[in-house]
Amino acid sequence: MTTDNTRPTPTVVFRADGAVDRETLAYARARIEAVVGRPGLPAVTGEVRLVRAVSHHAGSPWSATADLHVGGHQVVATAEEATATETVDRLRDRLRRQTDKASQAWNDGHRTTAPPWRDGTRPSPPVPGSDGPADSRAL
């Protein structure tokens, strides 16, 4: 099996606040890196923060925030849920949608050929009453 060593690895920092155990942080890392490490995405950098509320009476004690740069676009996603896995899964789904949008915008901005108006071969506008473009030689 061959590997593609030419693709840069995503530089995403994972931070935890509150009583977040290592297994939960490892789960979050695996889920988020699966989204940002997909082939076809431009370079991804940023931070993901997983927070467990100190107060036990909070309705959604878990929250997660991702602030990433995908190519030249900033992607921010947040999620709040009752459990850590639900929070990470919701954040993953939101990041997936937003990174797809950012990737599409990045791909649209990187054309391989110049548009026709940049190289001077702009077609002539159609002449009223005809089916084709205007012919300057017909005058």
Side-chain angles (χ1 to χ4, degrees), residues 13-22 24-26 28-29 47-52 62-63:
V13 177
F14 289 83
R15 300 194 189 275
D17 291 337
V20 179
D21 57 352
R22 290 182 186 217
T24 303
L25 197 56
R29 183 182 308 275
E47 178 181 277
V48 175
R49 183 176 299 268
L50 189 62
V51 179
R52 183 173 186 181
W62 289 92
S63 65

Side-chain angles (χ1 to χ4, degrees), residues 3-4 7 9 23 26-27 30 33 35-36 42 49 55 61 66 74 83 89-90 95 101 105 113 116 124 131 136:
T3 61
D4 181 17
R7 176 163 167 69
T9 58
E23 292 81 24
Y27 179 77
E33 284 181 351
V35 171
V36 299
R49 183 176 299 268
S55 61
Q74 184 176 12
T83 66
D89 290 342
R90 180 157 316 231
L95 275 177
K101 288 179 186 179
T113 59
S124 303
D131 291 332
S136 59

Side-chain angles (χ1 to χ4, degrees), residues 1-10 37-41:
M1 182 167 101
T2 61
T3 61
D4 181 17
N5 292 331
T6 60
R7 176 163 167 69
T9 58
R38 295 187 327 255
L41 281 181

